[in-house]
Amino acid sequence: MTNDFSNYIDGEWKPAASGRTFENRNPADTSELIGRFADSGPEDVERAVAAARAAFPGWKALPAPKRGEILYRAAETLVRGKDELARDMTREMGKVLDETRGDVQEAIDMTYYMAGEGRRQFGQTTPSEMPDKFQMSVRQPVGVAGLITPWNFPMAIPSWKMMPALVLGNTVVIKPATDTPLSVVNLVKVLEQAGLPKGVLNMVTGSGSRVGSPLMSHGNVQIVSFTGSTEVGRKVSEACAPGFKHCHLEMGGKNVIMVMDDARIDLAVEGALWGGFGTTGQRCTAASRVAVHEKVYAEFVERFVAGARGLRVGNGLDPKVQVGPCINAGQLETVESYVEIGRQEGAKLLCGGSRLAAGEHARGFFHEPTIFGDCSPKMRVAREEIFGPVVSVIPVRSLEEAIEVGNSVDYGLSASVYTQDINKAFTAMREMYTGIFYVNAPTIGAETHLPFGGTKGTGNGHREACVQALEVFSEWKSIYIDFSGRLQRAQID
Ligand code: UN1
């Protein structure tokens, strides 16, 4: 069955003004058409922003606990629909069902969390320097939020942005990734059903150039939140700068697992397999580098390679499959080009290295789990984000060297250490300049109630999830109330 999906503007499902559509196909089997979606342009963005702007005063005026109640109802619907939503997501994105269920779960967690924020959103009160004067700070919504979301977490990341924005009283225009619009359509339907007033949430599907660009530079959009590549993030930042727009960026990663000589090798191998090849390596938190102490290097590599060879690659709907396809032809080509770069740089190809195109893999974008060994930290495969099933293993002589290698890249999202020595664990935790750090666990798997984000080329100082997300989507107002009945002059009286 083929479905046509429209934009969602001012509480109505409307095709693109141009009437054009684009196709969304299953990356595990491109003969399966997921649906046709509105191929929108600037005129659709204009209508969506106008609707969001018109809805803002009413939504802002609704008491925050009431806004939270709508989110709470949405979370309950997500819980009930989890399996079906996960299946839709696997069909359009490719990752295995366990992982798409995890993705929906992250959306559920964030929705409940932010529903609770409807009854918190705490400000401060502090004593005044003067008698008979009271002072406090309160959060205020920023206005219309433009959200630009990626394909690798098709429902989780949209909800990480949407839920804090909404509970704080902002209205939203979201542009989902063209590879995974169905999951955002599903999320919008859930919120519609939960009773969100019209115009508060709007969705416009289409390309980055015809939808994303006009959205991020629109004069009536006050905050832009983007997750995607560092290259595009820089463009978002530049588009926001002239209007001093709030801008939240969540970008690339080149995350390292450090395996020390006292580590539990079985745990480290399992962690590297899950961190490196889970989601086909298409996570910004993926463990795409492993720095291994020379004393355990041979043992680790042997077991890691054996594990990678044993991973079953295929259609994520098959419960026996562990690694799904790359998201699209372009991403698969990027992976292939990096395999070639690694070979030419002299990295040792230990397993994988080719796309899979025969039999059950014939109609999808599959690539073998690939490991390069004996990498130097200067190699491009050990420094650049590949966003695919490719891991570079780097031998090191000490924890200090592992930390230096770990910190030597342009990104700073996540890092991990495997060790039984608490002193080493704390040293690594303190010295790794990343936003997230793990001990005896891989670099992936962040939960929604701690801040999520990174340093350097990964982010621009903000964090999402947890209460830190409230900072992105609100502004502080400080209020002084003088009830002395006379003029009190601060710093003078
Ligand atoms: C991402 O890859 O953009 O920590 C997000 C994790 C997930 C989120 C990843 N909870 O790996």
Side-chain angles (χ1 to χ4, degrees):
M1 193 185 78
T2 298
N3 284 317
D4 287 328
F5 298 95
S6 300
N7 289 327
Y8 185 68
I9 298 176
D10 207 14
E12 280 173 44
W13 295 92
K14 294 180 188 161
S18 68
R20 290 208 308 238
T21 59
F22 67 91
E23 286 186 346
N24 175 18
R25 289 182 176 271
N26 182 341
D29 179 355
T30 52
S31 69
E32 187 192 348
L33 181 65
I34 306 298
R36 270 185 279 269
F37 292 80
D39 187 6
S40 315
E43 59 284 6
D44 302 295
V45 172
E46 200 55 55
R47 284 157 59 183
V49 172
R53 187 172 152 83
F56 178 57
W59 182 241
K60 175 184 165 183
L62 190 70
K66 295 270 178 248
R67 298 196 295 259
E69 280 168 27
I70 296 175
L71 265 53
Y72 191 88
R73 284 201 291 277
E76 297 202 305
T77 311
L78 289 171
V79 170
R80 283 194 300 274
K82 184 170 168 180
D83 285 329
E84 210 181 317
L85 296 167
R87 283 190 89 75
D88 271 357
M89 197 188 295
T90 292
R91 284 169 57 234
E92 73 169 346
M93 190 275 166
K95 61 185 174 183
V96 300
L97 263 182
D98 269 357
E99 290 190 38
T100 50
R101 285 172 55 80
D103 192 304
V104 179
Q105 188 58 46
E106 284 196 38
I108 292 167
D109 296 342
M110 183 59 79
T111 309
Y112 275 130
Y113 187 103
M114 290 301 160
E117 280 307 320
R119 290 190 180 270
R120 289 189 291 265
Q121 298 183 28
F122 299 132
Q124 303 135 300
T125 60
T126 63
S128 170
E129 292 165 8
M130 280 171 284
D132 298 331
K133 197 176 168 200
F134 183 85
Q135 51 197 37
M136 62 185 168
S137 64
V138 295
R139 287 187 187 277
Q140 306 240 287
V142 187
V144 176
L147 313 180
I148 302 176
T149 55
W151 47 260
N152 66 336
F153 277 80
M155 191 174 279
I157 293 180
S159 74
W160 291 9
K161 300 186 188 304
M162 201 185 274
M163 303 310 169
L166 291 174
V167 81
L168 285 158
N170 303 279
T171 53
V172 167
V173 178
I174 183 167
K175 183 205 111 52
T178 48
D179 283 309
T180 55
L182 179 59
S183 294
V184 176
V185 167
N186 288 342
L187 185 59
V188 169
K189 282 183 183 162
V190 165
L191 282 154
E192 183 184 38
Q193 204 188 321
L196 205 63
K198 70 187 183 85
V200 170
L201 170 62
N202 306 273
M203 180 200 68
V204 182
T205 55
S207 69
S209 57
R210 289 178 42 78
V211 177
S213 293
L215 179 61
M216 65 176 99
S217 49
H218 199 292
N220 287 333
V221 170
Q222 282 78 30
I223 149 103
V224 176
S225 178
F226 165 83
T227 297
S229 70
T230 301
E231 189 192 344
V232 176
R234 184 168 289 115
K235 289 190 187 140
V236 176
S237 179
E238 283 164 7
C240 290
F244 310 111
K245 216 169 267 188
H246 291 215
C247 174
H248 162 242
L249 304 173
E250 193 49 59
M251 304 175 284
K254 191 74 184 176
N255 314 289
V256 71
I257 290 181
M258 302 179 284
V259 183
M260 291 301 99
D261 51 346
D262 64 353
R264 284 240 334 249
I265 300 298
D266 55 337
L267 266 192
V269 167
E270 266 182 66
L273 287 168
W274 172 228
F277 300 117
T279 326
T280 321
Q282 300 175 121
R283 291 199 194 206
C284 56
T285 51
S288 49
R289 297 184 291 160
V290 190
V292 187
H293 196 286
E294 58 184 3
K295 284 193 193 146
V296 292
Y297 184 83
E299 184 191 355
F300 174 84
V301 162
E302 192 191 322
R303 291 165 74 170
F304 185 34
V305 168
R309 285 208 175 106
L311 290 172
R312 176 126 185 212
V313 181
N315 188 322
L317 289 178
D318 176 348
K320 289 191 290 297
V321 162
Q322 292 153 297
V323 179
C326 296
I327 186 70
N328 55 35
Q331 202 62 38
L332 177 58
E333 277 161 27
T334 301
V335 170
E336 289 183 295
S337 73
Y338 270 103
V339 169
E340 189 49 36
I341 289 167
R343 279 201 174 103
Q344 280 175 14
E345 289 177 311
K348 193 162 154 197
L349 185 65
L350 298 174
C351 68
S354 302
R355 68 189 292 176
L356 293 161
E360 57 168 320
H361 299 121
R363 290 198 299 260
F365 306 117
F366 296 100
H367 196 279
E368 294 175 305
T370 298
I371 300 175
F372 279 115
D374 295 347
C375 293
S376 117
K378 295 209 160 45
M379 290 176 178
R380 287 182 62 194
V381 284
R383 315 185 57 78
E384 296 177 14
E385 185 175 50
I386 301 173
F387 229 63
V390 182
V391 177
S392 301
V393 189
I394 307 164
V396 291
R397 284 178 301 263
S398 62
L399 176 67
E400 290 65 36
E401 190 184 342
I403 291 169
E404 198 185 314
V405 166
N407 278 331
S408 69
V409 293
D410 293 337
Y411 302 106
L413 182 52
S414 183
S416 107
V417 69
Y418 280 81
T419 180
Q420 297 299 307
D421 180 340
I422 193 162
N423 300 327
K424 284 190 178 141
F426 269 80
T427 302
M429 182 274 289
R430 190 186 58 200
E431 297 303 324
M432 283 307 299
Y433 185 41
T434 56
I436 303 172
F437 188 77
Y438 291 88
V439 178
N440 292 331
T443 55
I444 67 174
E447 302 181 28
T448 51
H449 41 269
L450 280 183
F452 182 94
T455 62
K456 301 191 280 187
T458 296
N460 62 342
H462 296 288
R463 294 290 185 270
E464 53 192 345
C466 194
V467 285
Q468 278 72 9
L470 306 181
E471 300 302 332
V472 171
F473 294 102
S474 65
E475 285 181 311
W476 286 107
K477 181 174 280 181
S478 297
I479 301 151
Y480 301 91
I481 301 156
D482 192 321
F483 55 98
S484 68
R486 63 189 173 90
L487 173 66
Q488 302 199 82
R489 298 178 301 169
Q491 285 93 38
I492 291 177
D493 282 335

